[in-house]
Amino acid sequence: MKVEPYNIGLPQVEHEYRIYRQLAGGKGIPRAYWFGAECDYNLLVIDRLGPSLDTLFQHNPHRFTPEVLLMLADQLVSS
């Protein structure tokens, strides 16, 4: 689940939801189950396919490992 404050300056989760809906069924695209507002937050419920690129980047001295780069390249050319 992704959560962001309702009154954030540049909301992202609704835009992300729309993109996931357009790309639905594509390889490596998470399924978007629900988007909505609850209390003071926008919420997006999607499949978790693994760690985010940001997480991989942060945990490897701000660089991608060769394995991650190869997996990304494979996904890009296979899509």
Side-chain angles (χ1 to χ4, degrees), residues 1-2 13-26 28-36 43-49:
M1 179 183 301
K2 291 190 170 191
V13 282
E14 183 174 9
H15 179 66
E16 190 172 337
Y17 172 71
R18 289 180 184 161
I19 291 172
Y20 287 142
R21 298 294 297 221
Q22 290 175 349
L23 299 174
I29 304 298
R31 181 175 172 198
Y33 292 95
W34 182 79
F35 167 79
L43 307 168
L44 173 60
V45 179
I46 59 173
D47 284 329
R48 181 178 170 100
L49 301 179

PDB file of all heavy atoms in Angstrom, residues 1-2 13-26 28-36 43-49:
ATOM      1  N   MET A   1       0.845  -1.167   0.000  1.00  0.00           N
ATOM      2  CA  MET A   1       0.000   0.000   0.000  1.00  0.00           C
ATOM      3  C   MET A   1       0.894   1.235   0.000  1.00  0.00           C
ATOM      4  O   MET A   1       1.879   1.292   0.717  1.00  0.00           O
ATOM      5  CB  MET A   1      -0.898   0.007   1.232  1.00  0.00           C
ATOM      6  CG  MET A   1      -1.783   1.220   1.278  1.00  0.00           C
ATOM      7  SD  MET A   1      -2.818   1.345   2.752  1.00  0.00           S
ATOM      8  CE  MET A   1      -3.751  -0.128   2.662  1.00  0.00           C
ATOM      9  N   LYS A   2       0.548   2.190  -0.819  1.00  0.00           N
ATOM     10  CA  LYS A   2       1.245   3.473  -0.827  1.00  0.00           C
ATOM     11  C   LYS A   2       0.318   4.500  -0.191  1.00  0.00           C
ATOM     12  O   LYS A   2      -0.885   4.507  -0.447  1.00  0.00           O
ATOM     13  CB  LYS A   2       1.599   3.891  -2.242  1.00  0.00           C
ATOM     14  CG  LYS A   2       2.665   3.018  -2.860  1.00  0.00           C
ATOM     15  CD  LYS A   2       3.137   3.614  -4.155  1.00  0.00           C
ATOM     16  CE  LYS A   2       4.352   2.863  -4.636  1.00  0.00           C
ATOM     17  NZ  LYS A   2       5.005   3.559  -5.737  1.00  0.00           N
ATOM     18  N   VAL A  13       0.161   9.472  -5.990  1.00  0.00           N
ATOM     19  CA  VAL A  13      -0.452   8.138  -6.024  1.00  0.00           C
ATOM     20  C   VAL A  13      -1.656   8.037  -6.963  1.00  0.00           C
ATOM     21  O   VAL A  13      -1.845   7.009  -7.594  1.00  0.00           O
ATOM     22  CB  VAL A  13      -0.801   7.581  -4.626  1.00  0.00           C
ATOM     23  CG1 VAL A  13       0.399   7.062  -3.914  1.00  0.00           C
ATOM     24  CG2 VAL A  13      -1.529   8.574  -3.800  1.00  0.00           C
ATOM     25  N   GLU A  14      -2.442   9.072  -7.108  1.00  0.00           N
ATOM     26  CA  GLU A  14      -3.562   9.001  -8.052  1.00  0.00           C
ATOM     27  C   GLU A  14      -3.036   8.908  -9.485  1.00  0.00           C
ATOM     28  O   GLU A  14      -3.529   8.118 -10.292  1.00  0.00           O
ATOM     29  CB  GLU A  14      -4.488  10.205  -7.919  1.00  0.00           C
ATOM     30  CG  GLU A  14      -5.691  10.104  -8.845  1.00  0.00           C
ATOM     31  CD  GLU A  14      -6.702  11.212  -8.636  1.00  0.00           C
ATOM     32  OE1 GLU A  14      -6.432  12.176  -7.903  1.00  0.00           O
ATOM     33  OE2 GLU A  14      -7.785  11.096  -9.243  1.00  0.00           O
ATOM     34  N   HIS A  15      -2.016   9.677  -9.796  1.00  0.00           N
ATOM     35  CA  HIS A  15      -1.398   9.616 -11.120  1.00  0.00           C
ATOM     36  C   HIS A  15      -0.801   8.228 -11.364  1.00  0.00           C
ATOM     37  O   HIS A  15      -0.970   7.645 -12.440  1.00  0.00           O
ATOM     38  CB  HIS A  15      -0.327  10.699 -11.228  1.00  0.00           C
ATOM     39  CG  HIS A  15       0.395  10.714 -12.539  1.00  0.00           C
ATOM     40  ND1 HIS A  15      -0.235  11.040 -13.723  1.00  0.00           N
ATOM     41  CD2 HIS A  15       1.665  10.435 -12.849  1.00  0.00           C
ATOM     42  CE1 HIS A  15       0.635  10.947 -14.702  1.00  0.00           C
ATOM     43  NE2 HIS A  15       1.809  10.584 -14.200  1.00  0.00           N
ATOM     44  N   GLU A  16      -0.133   7.701 -10.352  1.00  0.00           N
ATOM     45  CA  GLU A  16       0.453   6.364 -10.449  1.00  0.00           C
ATOM     46  C   GLU A  16      -0.640   5.319 -10.681  1.00  0.00           C
ATOM     47  O   GLU A  16      -0.481   4.409 -11.492  1.00  0.00           O
ATOM     48  CB  GLU A  16       1.222   6.049  -9.171  1.00  0.00           C
ATOM     49  CG  GLU A  16       2.058   4.832  -9.230  1.00  0.00           C
ATOM     50  CD  GLU A  16       2.940   4.679  -8.001  1.00  0.00           C
ATOM     51  OE1 GLU A  16       3.237   5.671  -7.315  1.00  0.00           O
ATOM     52  OE2 GLU A  16       3.335   3.528  -7.740  1.00  0.00           O
ATOM     53  N   TYR A  17      -1.766   5.456  -9.991  1.00  0.00           N
ATOM     54  CA  TYR A  17      -2.900   4.541 -10.158  1.00  0.00           C
ATOM     55  C   TYR A  17      -3.386   4.546 -11.608  1.00  0.00           C
ATOM     56  O   TYR A  17      -3.606   3.494 -12.204  1.00  0.00           O
ATOM     57  CB  TYR A  17      -4.027   4.943  -9.208  1.00  0.00           C
ATOM     58  CG  TYR A  17      -5.307   4.189  -9.416  1.00  0.00           C
ATOM     59  CD1 TYR A  17      -5.414   2.845  -9.069  1.00  0.00           C
ATOM     60  CD2 TYR A  17      -6.428   4.818  -9.952  1.00  0.00           C
ATOM     61  CE1 TYR A  17      -6.602   2.149  -9.255  1.00  0.00           C
ATOM     62  CE2 TYR A  17      -7.609   4.134 -10.138  1.00  0.00           C
ATOM     63  CZ  TYR A  17      -7.688   2.804  -9.791  1.00  0.00           C
ATOM     64  OH  TYR A  17      -8.858   2.116  -9.984  1.00  0.00           O
ATOM     65  N   ARG A  18      -3.521   5.724 -12.180  1.00  0.00           N
ATOM     66  CA  ARG A  18      -3.990   5.830 -13.567  1.00  0.00           C
ATOM     67  C   ARG A  18      -3.009   5.164 -14.532  1.00  0.00           C
ATOM     68  O   ARG A  18      -3.420   4.499 -15.485  1.00  0.00           O
ATOM     69  CB  ARG A  18      -4.187   7.291 -13.937  1.00  0.00           C
ATOM     70  CG  ARG A  18      -5.372   7.916 -13.245  1.00  0.00           C
ATOM     71  CD  ARG A  18      -5.538   9.354 -13.631  1.00  0.00           C
ATOM     72  NE  ARG A  18      -6.631   9.950 -12.887  1.00  0.00           N
ATOM     73  CZ  ARG A  18      -6.794  11.239 -12.734  1.00  0.00           C
ATOM     74  NH1 ARG A  18      -5.936  12.088 -13.273  1.00  0.00           N
ATOM     75  NH2 ARG A  18      -7.806  11.695 -12.040  1.00  0.00           N
ATOM     76  N   ILE A  19      -1.730   5.342 -14.292  1.00  0.00           N
ATOM     77  CA  ILE A  19      -0.722   4.718 -15.151  1.00  0.00           C
ATOM     78  C   ILE A  19      -0.789   3.200 -15.032  1.00  0.00           C
ATOM     79  O   ILE A  19      -0.759   2.486 -16.043  1.00  0.00           O
ATOM     80  CB  ILE A  19       0.685   5.245 -14.819  1.00  0.00           C
ATOM     81  CG1 ILE A  19       0.786   6.710 -15.255  1.00  0.00           C
ATOM     82  CG2 ILE A  19       1.765   4.400 -15.488  1.00  0.00           C
ATOM     83  CD1 ILE A  19       2.047   7.401 -14.818  1.00  0.00           C
ATOM     84  N   TYR A  20      -0.887   2.679 -13.807  1.00  0.00           N
ATOM     85  CA  TYR A  20      -0.997   1.228 -13.615  1.00  0.00           C
ATOM     86  C   TYR A  20      -2.223   0.673 -14.331  1.00  0.00           C
ATOM     87  O   TYR A  20      -2.178  -0.413 -14.897  1.00  0.00           O
ATOM     88  CB  TYR A  20      -1.048   0.862 -12.135  1.00  0.00           C
ATOM     89  CG  TYR A  20       0.264   0.996 -11.417  1.00  0.00           C
ATOM     90  CD1 TYR A  20       0.310   1.474 -10.124  1.00  0.00           C
ATOM     91  CD2 TYR A  20       1.465   0.641 -12.019  1.00  0.00           C
ATOM     92  CE1 TYR A  20       1.517   1.599  -9.453  1.00  0.00           C
ATOM     93  CE2 TYR A  20       2.669   0.766 -11.360  1.00  0.00           C
ATOM     94  CZ  TYR A  20       2.683   1.244 -10.080  1.00  0.00           C
ATOM     95  OH  TYR A  20       3.881   1.373  -9.418  1.00  0.00           O
ATOM     96  N   ARG A  21      -3.318   1.402 -14.307  1.00  0.00           N
ATOM     97  CA  ARG A  21      -4.535   0.942 -14.988  1.00  0.00           C
ATOM     98  C   ARG A  21      -4.331   0.883 -16.495  1.00  0.00           C
ATOM     99  O   ARG A  21      -4.809  -0.024 -17.163  1.00  0.00           O
ATOM    100  CB  ARG A  21      -5.722   1.847 -14.644  1.00  0.00           C
ATOM    101  CG  ARG A  21      -6.114   1.880 -13.171  1.00  0.00           C
ATOM    102  CD  ARG A  21      -6.637   0.570 -12.701  1.00  0.00           C
ATOM    103  NE  ARG A  21      -7.844   0.233 -13.417  1.00  0.00           N
ATOM    104  CZ  ARG A  21      -8.906  -0.298 -12.903  1.00  0.00           C
ATOM    105  NH1 ARG A  21      -8.938  -0.568 -11.628  1.00  0.00           N
ATOM    106  NH2 ARG A  21      -9.949  -0.583 -13.634  1.00  0.00           N
ATOM    107  N   GLN A  22      -3.608   1.854 -17.053  1.00  0.00           N
ATOM    108  CA  GLN A  22      -3.346   1.869 -18.491  1.00  0.00           C
ATOM    109  C   GLN A  22      -2.393   0.753 -18.905  1.00  0.00           C
ATOM    110  O   GLN A  22      -2.491   0.211 -20.000  1.00  0.00           O
ATOM    111  CB  GLN A  22      -2.772   3.215 -18.920  1.00  0.00           C
ATOM    112  CG  GLN A  22      -3.774   4.342 -18.859  1.00  0.00           C
ATOM    113  CD  GLN A  22      -3.146   5.681 -19.184  1.00  0.00           C
ATOM    114  OE1 GLN A  22      -1.932   5.817 -19.260  1.00  0.00           O
ATOM    115  NE2 GLN A  22      -3.986   6.686 -19.380  1.00  0.00           N
ATOM    116  N   LEU A  23      -1.439   0.422 -18.038  1.00  0.00           N
ATOM    117  CA  LEU A  23      -0.437  -0.593 -18.347  1.00  0.00           C
ATOM    118  C   LEU A  23      -0.836  -1.986 -17.866  1.00  0.00           C
ATOM    119  O   LEU A  23      -0.045  -2.921 -17.972  1.00  0.00           O
ATOM    120  CB  LEU A  23       0.903  -0.213 -17.714  1.00  0.00           C
ATOM    121  CG  LEU A  23       1.522   1.103 -18.184  1.00  0.00           C
ATOM    122  CD1 LEU A  23       2.765   1.418 -17.371  1.00  0.00           C
ATOM    123  CD2 LEU A  23       1.830   1.054 -19.663  1.00  0.00           C
ATOM    124  N   ALA A  24      -2.053  -2.123 -17.360  1.00  0.00           N
ATOM    125  CA  ALA A  24      -2.508  -3.385 -16.765  1.00  0.00           C
ATOM    126  C   ALA A  24      -2.264  -4.561 -17.690  1.00  0.00           C
ATOM    127  O   ALA A  24      -2.491  -4.491 -18.900  1.00  0.00           O
ATOM    128  CB  ALA A  24      -3.991  -3.294 -16.416  1.00  0.00           C
ATOM    129  N   GLY A  25      -1.759  -5.643 -17.094  1.00  0.00           N
ATOM    130  CA  GLY A  25      -1.521  -6.869 -17.832  1.00  0.00           C
ATOM    131  C   GLY A  25      -0.133  -6.973 -18.425  1.00  0.00           C
ATOM    132  O   GLY A  25       0.256  -8.029 -18.900  1.00  0.00           O
ATOM    133  N   GLY A  26       0.619  -5.878 -18.396  1.00  0.00           N
ATOM    134  CA  GLY A  26       1.976  -5.903 -18.931  1.00  0.00           C
ATOM    135  C   GLY A  26       2.922  -6.647 -17.995  1.00  0.00           C
ATOM    136  O   GLY A  26       2.715  -6.700 -16.786  1.00  0.00           O
ATOM    137  N   GLY A  28       5.679  -7.398 -15.546  1.00  0.00           N
ATOM    138  CA  GLY A  28       6.350  -6.607 -14.531  1.00  0.00           C
ATOM    139  C   GLY A  28       5.554  -5.417 -14.024  1.00  0.00           C
ATOM    140  O   GLY A  28       6.075  -4.602 -13.270  1.00  0.00           O
ATOM    141  N   ILE A  29       4.297  -5.304 -14.425  1.00  0.00           N
ATOM    142  CA  ILE A  29       3.439  -4.200 -13.981  1.00  0.00           C
ATOM    143  C   ILE A  29       2.568  -4.707 -12.840  1.00  0.00           C
ATOM    144  O   ILE A  29       1.832  -5.680 -12.998  1.00  0.00           O
ATOM    145  CB  ILE A  29       2.540  -3.682 -15.124  1.00  0.00           C
ATOM    146  CG1 ILE A  29       3.370  -3.269 -16.335  1.00  0.00           C
ATOM    147  CG2 ILE A  29       1.655  -2.544 -14.634  1.00  0.00           C
ATOM    148  CD1 ILE A  29       4.329  -2.143 -16.092  1.00  0.00           C
ATOM    149  N   PRO A  30       2.629  -4.050 -11.673  1.00  0.00           N
ATOM    150  CA  PRO A  30       1.790  -4.512 -10.561  1.00  0.00           C
ATOM    151  C   PRO A  30       0.314  -4.240 -10.830  1.00  0.00           C
ATOM    152  O   PRO A  30      -0.031  -3.294 -11.537  1.00  0.00           O
ATOM    153  CB  PRO A  30       2.284  -3.690  -9.367  1.00  0.00           C
ATOM    154  CG  PRO A  30       2.901  -2.480  -9.961  1.00  0.00           C
ATOM    155  CD  PRO A  30       3.433  -2.889 -11.301  1.00  0.00           C
ATOM    156  N   ARG A  31      -0.516  -5.095 -10.290  1.00  0.00           N
ATOM    157  CA  ARG A  31      -1.969  -4.898 -10.407  1.00  0.00           C
ATOM    158  C   ARG A  31      -2.406  -3.862  -9.377  1.00  0.00           C
ATOM    159  O   ARG A  31      -2.045  -3.953  -8.201  1.00  0.00           O
ATOM    160  CB  ARG A  31      -2.682  -6.215 -10.154  1.00  0.00           C
ATOM    161  CG  ARG A  31      -4.171  -6.101 -10.269  1.00  0.00           C
ATOM    162  CD  ARG A  31      -4.827  -7.445 -10.123  1.00  0.00           C
ATOM    163  NE  ARG A  31      -6.262  -7.260 -10.054  1.00  0.00           N
ATOM    164  CZ  ARG A  31      -7.102  -8.144  -9.596  1.00  0.00           C
ATOM    165  NH1 ARG A  31      -6.660  -9.310  -9.193  1.00  0.00           N
ATOM    166  NH2 ARG A  31      -8.386  -7.894  -9.556  1.00  0.00           N
ATOM    167  N   ALA A  32      -3.151  -2.866  -9.824  1.00  0.00           N
ATOM    168  CA  ALA A  32      -3.693  -1.843  -8.930  1.00  0.00           C
ATOM    169  C   ALA A  32      -5.079  -2.300  -8.473  1.00  0.00           C
ATOM    170  O   ALA A  32      -5.983  -2.479  -9.283  1.00  0.00           O
ATOM    171  CB  ALA A  32      -3.782  -0.499  -9.644  1.00  0.00           C
ATOM    172  N   TYR A  33      -5.240  -2.507  -7.187  1.00  0.00           N
ATOM    173  CA  TYR A  33      -6.503  -3.007  -6.645  1.00  0.00           C
ATOM    174  C   TYR A  33      -7.468  -1.899  -6.266  1.00  0.00           C
ATOM    175  O   TYR A  33      -8.671  -2.033  -6.438  1.00  0.00           O
ATOM    176  CB  TYR A  33      -6.238  -3.874  -5.412  1.00  0.00           C
ATOM    177  CG  TYR A  33      -5.535  -5.152  -5.736  1.00  0.00           C
ATOM    178  CD1 TYR A  33      -4.157  -5.251  -5.644  1.00  0.00           C
ATOM    179  CD2 TYR A  33      -6.240  -6.268  -6.162  1.00  0.00           C
ATOM    180  CE1 TYR A  33      -3.497  -6.425  -5.942  1.00  0.00           C
ATOM    181  CE2 TYR A  33      -5.597  -7.454  -6.468  1.00  0.00           C
ATOM    182  CZ  TYR A  33      -4.215  -7.516  -6.364  1.00  0.00           C
ATOM    183  OH  TYR A  33      -3.569  -8.681  -6.673  1.00  0.00           O
ATOM    184  N   TRP A  34      -6.927  -0.794  -5.747  1.00  0.00           N
ATOM    185  CA  TRP A  34      -7.817   0.250  -5.251  1.00  0.00           C
ATOM    186  C   TRP A  34      -7.045   1.543  -5.052  1.00  0.00           C
ATOM    187  O   TRP A  34      -5.870   1.539  -4.679  1.00  0.00           O
ATOM    188  CB  TRP A  34      -8.419  -0.196  -3.916  1.00  0.00           C
ATOM    189  CG  TRP A  34      -9.395   0.769  -3.335  1.00  0.00           C
ATOM    190  CD1 TRP A  34     -10.701   0.936  -3.698  1.00  0.00           C
ATOM    191  CD2 TRP A  34      -9.153   1.703  -2.280  1.00  0.00           C
ATOM    192  NE1 TRP A  34     -11.275   1.915  -2.936  1.00  0.00           N
ATOM    193  CE2 TRP A  34     -10.342   2.395  -2.044  1.00  0.00           C
ATOM    194  CE3 TRP A  34      -8.037   2.011  -1.513  1.00  0.00           C
ATOM    195  CZ2 TRP A  34     -10.459   3.385  -1.084  1.00  0.00           C
ATOM    196  CZ3 TRP A  34      -8.152   2.993  -0.547  1.00  0.00           C
ATOM    197  CH2 TRP A  34      -9.350   3.664  -0.335  1.00  0.00           C
ATOM    198  N   PHE A  35      -7.714   2.652  -5.342  1.00  0.00           N
ATOM    199  CA  PHE A  35      -7.214   3.980  -5.004  1.00  0.00           C
ATOM    200  C   PHE A  35      -8.353   4.747  -4.380  1.00  0.00           C
ATOM    201  O   PHE A  35      -9.494   4.658  -4.829  1.00  0.00           O
ATOM    202  CB  PHE A  35      -6.716   4.738  -6.243  1.00  0.00           C
ATOM    203  CG  PHE A  35      -6.489   6.195  -5.952  1.00  0.00           C
ATOM    204  CD1 PHE A  35      -5.343   6.597  -5.293  1.00  0.00           C
ATOM    205  CD2 PHE A  35      -7.433   7.145  -6.279  1.00  0.00           C
ATOM    206  CE1 PHE A  35      -5.135   7.929  -4.973  1.00  0.00           C
ATOM    207  CE2 PHE A  35      -7.235   8.483  -5.964  1.00  0.00           C
ATOM    208  CZ  PHE A  35      -6.083   8.870  -5.318  1.00  0.00           C
ATOM    209  N   GLY A  36      -8.051   5.510  -3.338  1.00  0.00           N
ATOM    210  CA  GLY A  36      -9.072   6.336  -2.716  1.00  0.00           C
ATOM    211  C   GLY A  36      -8.494   7.180  -1.604  1.00  0.00           C
ATOM    212  O   GLY A  36      -7.299   7.118  -1.296  1.00  0.00           O
ATOM    213  N   LEU A  43      -4.631   6.776  -0.721  1.00  0.00           N
ATOM    214  CA  LEU A  43      -4.123   5.417  -0.581  1.00  0.00           C
ATOM    215  C   LEU A  43      -4.170   4.706  -1.922  1.00  0.00           C
ATOM    216  O   LEU A  43      -5.109   4.875  -2.701  1.00  0.00           O
ATOM    217  CB  LEU A  43      -4.973   4.629   0.416  1.00  0.00           C
ATOM    218  CG  LEU A  43      -5.170   5.259   1.785  1.00  0.00           C
ATOM    219  CD1 LEU A  43      -6.243   4.526   2.556  1.00  0.00           C
ATOM    220  CD2 LEU A  43      -3.873   5.246   2.549  1.00  0.00           C
ATOM    221  N   LEU A  44      -3.156   3.891  -2.184  1.00  0.00           N
ATOM    222  CA  LEU A  44      -3.096   3.086  -3.387  1.00  0.00           C
ATOM    223  C   LEU A  44      -2.682   1.679  -2.980  1.00  0.00           C
ATOM    224  O   LEU A  44      -1.650   1.493  -2.345  1.00  0.00           O
ATOM    225  CB  LEU A  44      -2.068   3.659  -4.378  1.00  0.00           C
ATOM    226  CG  LEU A  44      -1.769   2.834  -5.623  1.00  0.00           C
ATOM    227  CD1 LEU A  44      -3.025   2.627  -6.461  1.00  0.00           C
ATOM    228  CD2 LEU A  44      -0.674   3.507  -6.440  1.00  0.00           C
ATOM    229  N   VAL A  45      -3.504   0.700  -3.348  1.00  0.00           N
ATOM    230  CA  VAL A  45      -3.216  -0.694  -3.025  1.00  0.00           C
ATOM    231  C   VAL A  45      -2.803  -1.393  -4.317  1.00  0.00           C
ATOM    232  O   VAL A  45      -3.578  -1.432  -5.285  1.00  0.00           O
ATOM    233  CB  VAL A  45      -4.442  -1.395  -2.398  1.00  0.00           C
ATOM    234  CG1 VAL A  45      -4.117  -2.839  -2.088  1.00  0.00           C
ATOM    235  CG2 VAL A  45      -4.911  -0.647  -1.158  1.00  0.00           C
ATOM    236  N   ILE A  46      -1.561  -1.901  -4.337  1.00  0.00           N
ATOM    237  CA  ILE A  46      -1.013  -2.570  -5.520  1.00  0.00           C
ATOM    238  C   ILE A  46      -0.274  -3.829  -5.090  1.00  0.00           C
ATOM    239  O   ILE A  46       0.043  -4.016  -3.919  1.00  0.00           O
ATOM    240  CB  ILE A  46      -0.040  -1.657  -6.301  1.00  0.00           C
ATOM    241  CG1 ILE A  46       1.126  -1.221  -5.413  1.00  0.00           C
ATOM    242  CG2 ILE A  46      -0.748  -0.475  -6.906  1.00  0.00           C
ATOM    243  CD1 ILE A  46       2.214  -0.454  -6.132  1.00  0.00           C
ATOM    244  N   ASP A  47      -0.004  -4.692  -6.074  1.00  0.00           N
ATOM    245  CA  ASP A  47       0.838  -5.861  -5.820  1.00  0.00           C
ATOM    246  C   ASP A  47       2.250  -5.405  -5.473  1.00  0.00           C
ATOM    247  O   ASP A  47       2.745  -4.434  -6.037  1.00  0.00           O
ATOM    248  CB  ASP A  47       0.936  -6.743  -7.069  1.00  0.00           C
ATOM    249  CG  ASP A  47      -0.304  -7.555  -7.325  1.00  0.00           C
ATOM    250  OD1 ASP A  47      -0.977  -7.929  -6.354  1.00  0.00           O
ATOM    251  OD2 ASP A  47      -0.596  -7.810  -8.509  1.00  0.00           O
ATOM    252  N   ARG A  48       2.878  -6.143  -4.594  1.00  0.00           N
ATOM    253  CA  ARG A  48       4.292  -5.899  -4.317  1.00  0.00           C
ATOM    254  C   ARG A  48       5.087  -6.924  -5.109  1.00  0.00           C
ATOM    255  O   ARG A  48       4.978  -8.124  -4.872  1.00  0.00           O
ATOM    256  CB  ARG A  48       4.592  -6.021  -2.830  1.00  0.00           C
ATOM    257  CG  ARG A  48       6.041  -5.737  -2.522  1.00  0.00           C
ATOM    258  CD  ARG A  48       6.314  -5.826  -1.034  1.00  0.00           C
ATOM    259  NE  ARG A  48       7.728  -5.794  -0.809  1.00  0.00           N
ATOM    260  CZ  ARG A  48       8.409  -4.721  -0.428  1.00  0.00           C
ATOM    261  NH1 ARG A  48       7.766  -3.598  -0.230  1.00  0.00           N
ATOM    262  NH2 ARG A  48       9.704  -4.781  -0.248  1.00  0.00           N
ATOM    263  N   LEU A  49       5.883  -6.442  -6.037  1.00  0.00           N
ATOM    264  CA  LEU A  49       6.628  -7.335  -6.912  1.00  0.00           C
ATOM    265  C   LEU A  49       8.046  -7.572  -6.425  1.00  0.00           C
ATOM    266  O   LEU A  49       8.761  -8.394  -6.971  1.00  0.00           O
ATOM    267  CB  LEU A  49       6.666  -6.761  -8.331  1.00  0.00           C
ATOM    268  CG  LEU A  49       5.302  -6.541  -8.983  1.00  0.00           C
ATOM    269  CD1 LEU A  49       5.473  -5.950 -10.368  1.00  0.00           C
ATOM    270  CD2 LEU A  49       4.519  -7.822  -9.043  1.00  0.00           C
TER     271      LEU A  49
END
